[in-house]
Amino acid sequence: EIYDCSVTRNGDLIEIRVSGNGFLYNMVRIIVGTLLDIQREKIQKGSIPEIINSLDREKAGVTVEGCGLYLNKVNY
């Protein structure tokens, strides 16, 4: 389950934080790719609930490369 997803910008740095109790393989990379595609207007704003409910991976954004993405913290 994803509890929160936030995007903040600090100068040239864009920080995307995703918190939850479990993640699928490449899940965060797909979330980031989808957000980037929304920004690039390849995916319509506000369509994330529709994408999730469709259960169709093809409707989501690209899987971005892992460089620049890292695990920040693990809570038990």
Side-chain angles (χ1 to χ4, degrees), residues 24-62:
L24 299 172
Y25 182 72
N26 287 335
M27 184 177 187
V28 174
R29 293 170 57 186
I30 295 166
I31 290 170
V32 171
T34 302
L35 292 173
L36 289 173
D37 280 354
I38 289 170
Q39 190 274 331
R40 294 176 184 134
E41 298 181 349
K42 292 181 178 181
I43 295 177
Q44 189 176 24
K45 255 186 199 180
S47 64
I48 290 179
E50 178 185 323
I51 292 169
I52 293 169
N53 290 330
S54 76
L55 302 176
D56 183 357
R57 170 63 184 93
E58 296 296 316
K59 292 185 179 184
V62 299

Side-chain angles (χ1 to χ4, degrees), residues 6-23:
S6 64
V7 181
T8 56
R9 184 179 189 129
N10 187 1
D12 290 339
L13 179 68
I14 298 172
E15 186 175 287
I16 301 171
R17 290 180 176 254
V18 182
S19 59
N21 64 358
F23 298 90

